[in-house]
Amino acid sequence: MRTQTIEADIIVVGGGLAGVSAAVAAARHGRRTVLINNRPVLGGNSSSEVRVWVCGATAHGNQRWARETGIIGEMLLENQYRNPEGNPVYWDDVVLDIVRREPNLTLLLNTEVLEAEATGPDDDRRVTSVTGWTMGSEVRTIFRGPLFLDCTGDGLIGRLVGARHRLGKESRAEFDEEWAPEEPIREFLGSTLLFYTKDLGHPVKYVAPESAKDISTTPIPATRIIRSGDSGAHYWWIEWGGQLDIVDDNERIRDELRSVILGIWDHIKNSGEFDADNLTLEWIGNIPGKREYRRFIGDYTLRQQDILEQVAFDDGVAFGGWSIDLHPAEGMYATGAGAVQRFSDGVFEIPFRSLYSVNVSNLLMAGRNISATHIAFGAARVMATCAAMGEAAGTAASLCLDHDATPRELYENHRAELRQALLRADASLIGVANEDPADLARSARVTASGWQRTVAAGADGPAAGAHALAEDLGIVVPVHPVLETTDLLLSATTDTSLTVEVWSTGRPQNFVPAHLEHSATVEVTAGGPAWVTAQTPFAPADPQNVVVVLRANPDVSVHLTDVLPAGVLTLVHRVDNDDQNVEISDDGLLVKWPTKPLRGRAPVFRTAPETAALAPERAVSGFNRPFGGPHMWASEPLATAGPAWLRLDWDAPVEAREIRLVFDDEVDVSLNTLHHHRNPDEIMPQLVRDYRVEVLSAASGEWTTAIDERGNRHRHRVHSLPADLGAFTAARLVIEATNGAAAARVIAFRVQS
């Protein structure tokens, strides 16, 4: 046995996706960073040891244009390429690689932090060190540094140093939350074990062990959906421990969960009710996937109202979109639904003030232990959202060192700088425009080889089937600066009329029909298909999305295309729920107007007049994701127009050190690490594949190729420019090919001085 001391700038404890993202972010900012994990693999609940699929703001496709970017976005895209089948072992290495790739990051696995030291009174504590024990190696390590991040999920580090925290459910009166109980109660969301099955192709018997529970003596067969073909996180509802102490009773909870899994498998194999003769039990988790325990108190406590009302914060540093997802404390033994969910009508913000301790001056946190009520935590706790918070916390820690500031002082004096740093890294932000003084593109004139001047779907090609308007249908359309008419390709079984409405969406990040702006009736003649023009006037002061709603008329059919234009989505007016173990509140518009029934398809339509929604200047508009429009430049089709180019010109020569490019990877597509659903594209076809960046030399007046890239499959690319490049008066991004899409799409073209 030996003892060692490691000193670093930033020490992150907890190797789940929050901790990984925090540590990688800090390391990328040049900070000597340590990441400590108590397990042999990274990823926390998403790892091969637990195998929960990574959920986030997309909410399995319920939210729109909501997939996270930044570090977790990198991992999701990489996993889609390496691991389209959703192998949890392959996912382990995706996470491990992104950590080991960083030269400033030291990783310690199998290291349990057992002690922590702090100084100061209860209301002003300061962490000085944490001490960990590395199993197998028999090494005791003391970690010292100026800043610490608790990403342990359970909040172990904060507890050891005296950080104020909450346990259980607050009373309704404390934060005026509608879904909170009348009185506070120490109850939690329970923990879960998962299992995998395998078809061996021949009959396999199963003899239940003595520890298997007879589930016929429980409410489970009557209240939960059991299917022989399901495995893994489909059985998220095997949950228990909410009425116990999640940490202190962890072993008891694990034993109970395992006994129920064995009992469920006995029921599937031996009851005669299932087609399961050839199935065997391949894997059972032995580490309970925890949902809830300590939640630290920060300078701001995220509330139910912040989620549902989508409150905008001047220190918003991450976003979520998962529902407020609350489970009964009895877990799998409850007779009601396994979960009750309520969605916001679009993504919601998470403020930086919820990511640092109110009374420990150098402690930040990210993940399910942030400053939130039990109700708000129900929406913020899922792993991709935790990862987005982790990137924000790690970036903030680095800036604290830049300014010799505490996290609170960073909020008070430098929160705008924090948000700009996150935006520059393409992190998960909404409503934050580029105000970076070092980005020379902001002062340039922007031109392009061309752009998509009309918002249209399938207008120049064959339709892909017809869809009868048995339900209301909505078409999300970007408007910049004005919408006047919408042409629709329709068929009808008889002469009839169709009501066409224009609805605004309420908030720039929303894509639901919130406010009626105009209504018109058009006549549709029997037969078709034929074009029908509807008056759809809308002239917003700022670029916005609208929803053109076609009211139900079963005598009318729209014609569909499976080529979805940039900035366009299709909504269907019906309540959609694909998990019968869940009760979903239909109070909000999001669940009343799902995209899943026609996702990836659109009615054949075209709007007038021409639009600037996809014009070249949108690539320097300052936003990295849809917000009142798509915020990207979309070229003309490469097959007909040839290579596309986007050009920046300056009045005087400039010098720069790097180029940052953000390409569209269709953040409306929900990617999943394991097996909830599968996207067929290993590389997102919208991504630019082959490109080069040329600069116009101020000295010679000639174009020089500074960057030449082939085979790109990433969204965010950072290219250092040659040190001897010299001054230039123009920069040109030339795109020769995408990964399958007809046109090139560029979200950001930044030239950093």
Side-chain angles (χ1 to χ4, degrees):
M1 186 184 88
R2 63 185 174 90
T3 298
Q4 63 180 358
T5 299
I6 294 179
E7 296 189 359
D9 297 324
I10 296 169
I11 295 165
V12 182
V13 186
L17 296 186
V20 165
S21 298
V24 170
R28 287 181 178 179
H29 280 270
R31 298 300 176 184
R32 293 177 300 125
T33 306
V34 171
L35 176 60
I36 307 166
N37 192 37
N38 64 350
R39 303 299 309 167
V41 292
L42 295 168
N45 281 343
S46 75
S47 74
S48 60
E49 291 190 315
V50 185
R51 305 192 182 189
V52 178
W53 50 53
V54 175
C55 300
T58 60
H60 295 323
N62 285 293
Q63 294 283 9
R64 298 92 204 251
W65 282 305
R67 191 175 78 246
E68 294 79 6
T69 52
I71 292 167
I72 181 61
E74 290 178 41
M75 288 190 278
L76 291 172
L77 283 181
E78 186 66 17
N79 188 70
Q80 183 69 13
Y81 175 71
R82 291 194 201 179
N83 186 24
E85 290 79 18
N87 186 323
V89 177
Y90 294 174
W91 169 248
D92 285 347
D93 283 313
V94 169
V95 181
L96 182 63
D97 281 354
I98 202 169
V99 169
R100 287 193 165 158
R101 197 176 296 138
E102 296 301 325
N104 295 315
L105 181 49
T106 299
L107 172 64
L108 288 94
L109 297 172
N110 293 308
T111 301
E112 185 77 67
V113 171
L114 303 173
E115 306 168 32
E117 293 185 355
T119 59
D122 289 346
D123 62 349
D124 189 19
R125 304 283 285 163
R126 182 174 181 82
V127 189
T128 57
S129 71
V130 299
T131 300
W133 172 258
T134 302
M135 296 174 287
S137 300
E138 297 186 357
V139 176
R140 181 175 180 268
T141 307
I142 301 168
F143 301 91
R144 300 188 185 278
L147 284 165
F148 293 79
L149 279 79
D150 188 333
C151 301
T152 61
D154 290 335
L156 172 63
I157 306 309
R159 173 65 182 86
L160 291 174
V161 300
R164 293 174 187 162
H165 60 273
R166 300 174 178 274
L167 287 166
K169 304 172 182 177
E170 298 83 5
S171 69
R172 184 173 303 170
E174 184 172 359
F175 291 95
D176 194 28
E177 294 178 306
E178 178 187 357
W179 274 24
E182 288 289 348
E183 300 296 331
I185 183 171
R186 186 165 163 149
E187 287 184 343
F188 307 93
L189 303 188
S191 301
T192 287
L193 286 182
L194 301 175
F195 66 94
Y196 273 33
T197 64
K198 185 176 183 179
D199 189 333
L200 293 184
H202 59 80
V204 183
K205 73 175 183 179
Y206 177 67
V207 179
E210 296 175 8
S211 59
K213 182 176 286 291
D214 180 0
I215 65 168
S216 67
T217 65
T218 75
I220 290 173
T223 61
R224 299 291 180 264
I225 305 300
I226 298 175
R227 291 186 289 250
S228 62
D230 287 349
S231 63
H234 284 108
Y235 282 93
W236 58 265
W237 53 261
I238 300 178
E239 174 184 1
W240 195 64
Q243 295 171 308
L244 304 177
D245 187 293
I246 295 294
V247 168
D248 196 51
D249 295 314
N250 184 65
E251 298 301 291
R252 177 185 171 189
I253 292 168
R254 182 204 58 211
D255 291 346
E256 185 74 10
L257 292 168
R258 186 177 176 87
S259 74
V260 168
I261 287 177
L262 297 172
I264 288 172
W265 190 240
D266 186 32
H267 179 63
I268 289 173
K269 288 289 291 183
N270 298 322
S271 68
E273 299 178 19
F274 302 90
D275 180 14
D277 288 350
N278 292 356
L279 295 180
T280 190
L281 193 58
E282 183 184 32
W283 171 87
I284 298 179
N286 287 293
I287 301 172
K290 296 176 183 175
R291 290 181 173 86
E292 179 180 12
Y293 199 54
R294 299 182 188 93
R295 301 186 312 280
F296 293 119
I297 298 175
D299 277 355
Y300 188 85
T301 300
L302 195 68
R303 311 163 301 151
Q304 175 182 335
Q305 300 94 310
D306 299 325
I307 307 297
L308 297 181
E309 297 170 14
Q310 298 172 268
V311 172
F313 297 100
D314 65 359
D315 62 334
V317 290
F319 66 76
W322 193 253
S323 64
I324 294 177
D325 182 9
L326 304 179
H327 300 192
E330 304 91 340
M332 58 198 172
Y333 297 137
T335 55
V340 178
Q341 299 181 344
R342 185 172 176 180
F343 281 93
S344 56
D345 283 337
V347 295
F348 58 85
E349 292 190 60
I350 298 169
F352 174 55
R353 285 164 294 161
S354 293
L355 305 187
Y356 61 84
S357 171
V358 71
N359 72 307
V360 182
S361 63
N362 64 337
L363 179 67
L364 298 100
M365 57 269 190
R368 58 185 172 89
N369 60 4
I370 68 160
S371 182
T373 67
H374 170 80
I375 304 296
F377 146 89
R381 63 185 176 83
V382 289
M383 283 185 278
T385 305
C386 292
M389 291 187 278
E391 181 168 4
T395 302
S398 175
L399 290 179
C400 284
L401 295 175
D402 284 346
H403 295 288
D404 191 22
T406 66
R408 179 177 292 122
E409 290 167 342
L410 190 73
Y411 163 73
E412 292 170 345
N413 302 314
H414 305 286
R415 57 184 178 271
E417 181 183 348
L418 169 59
R419 302 219 294 177
Q420 288 300 309
L422 289 166
L423 185 67
R424 188 164 52 249
D426 192 36
S428 301
L429 293 180
I430 54 171
V432 179
N434 179 4
E435 298 175 350
D436 184 357
D439 180 10
L440 302 174
R442 296 175 62 232
S443 62
R445 296 185 305 279
V446 189
T447 55
S449 53
W451 75 88
Q452 295 178 22
R453 297 173 182 265
T454 60
V455 179
D460 299 323
H467 175 81
L469 292 177
E471 303 150 314
D472 301 338
L473 184 144
I475 310 170
V476 176
V477 176
V479 177
H480 180 33
V482 64
L483 173 65
E484 293 177 356
T485 61
T486 302
D487 294 340
L488 302 160
L489 189 65
L490 305 176
S491 296
T493 58
T494 185
D495 290 348
T496 186
S497 61
L498 178 68
T499 299
V500 181
E501 299 170 344
V502 178
W503 291 73
S504 55
T505 63
R507 288 181 175 81
Q509 71 264 41
N510 290 6
F511 309 94
V512 293
H515 305 294
L516 179 63
E517 303 289 346
H518 181 78
S519 180
T521 300
V522 296
E523 301 302 317
V524 185
T525 304
W531 286 101
V532 175
T533 299
Q535 298 298 314
T536 52
F538 187 64
D542 299 306
Q544 286 188 29
N545 297 294
V546 299
V547 183
V548 177
V549 172
L550 315 182
R551 287 300 179 187
N553 182 340
D555 292 327
V556 177
S557 293
V558 296
H559 292 264
L560 300 176
T561 175
D562 56 8
V563 179
L564 202 63
V568 173
L569 280 180
T570 309
L571 316 178
V572 178
H573 195 188
R574 71 168 76 152
V575 176
D576 180 64
N577 180 10
D578 55 9
D579 191 335
Q580 297 175 49
N581 292 300
V582 176
E583 177 186 331
I584 298 180
S585 168
D586 62 359
D587 287 347
L589 289 169
L590 190 87
V591 298
K592 294 178 180 178
W593 288 88
T595 60
K596 285 187 283 185
L598 289 176
R599 201 169 207 115
R601 291 179 285 172
V604 177
F605 78 97
R606 60 195 176 209
T607 65
E610 289 187 351
T611 180
L614 300 168
E617 60 267 20
R618 303 300 278 172
V620 295
S621 64
F623 296 89
N624 275 20
R625 61 185 309 118
F627 189 77
H631 288 285
M632 68 174 75
W633 164 63
S635 75
E636 295 174 307
L638 299 181
T640 56
W645 53 262
L646 182 66
R647 176 170 169 168
L648 306 175
D649 282 271
W650 292 271
D651 292 332
V654 298
E655 294 188 35
R657 59 182 177 81
E658 70 179 18
I659 301 289
R660 287 180 175 256
L661 302 168
V662 179
F663 301 121
D664 181 36
D665 62 343
E666 191 55 276
V667 293
D668 186 57
V669 174
S670 177
L671 298 181
N672 193 261
T673 52
L674 301 182
H675 58 276
H676 180 273
H677 53 265
R678 179 174 175 180
N679 184 279
D681 298 309
E682 295 183 9
I683 301 174
M684 302 306 291
Q686 295 81 5
L687 284 167
V688 167
R689 190 188 73 196
D690 302 332
Y691 64 91
R692 65 184 184 272
V693 176
E694 303 168 339
V695 297
L696 186 61
S697 171
S700 68
E702 297 181 352
W703 288 99
T704 300
T705 298
I707 300 160
D708 193 344
E709 189 73 22
R710 295 290 180 267
N712 174 62
R713 54 183 175 84
H714 304 286
R715 170 186 164 94
H716 183 208
R717 300 302 308 269
V718 180
H719 296 286
S720 297
L721 291 173
D724 60 352
L725 185 64
F728 50 90
T729 57
R732 185 168 60 190
L733 170 64
V734 181
I735 298 169
E736 298 176 10
T738 71
N739 281 285
R745 300 180 185 180
V746 178
I747 291 171
F749 182 8
R750 297 174 66 133
V751 181
Q752 299 290 143
S753 63

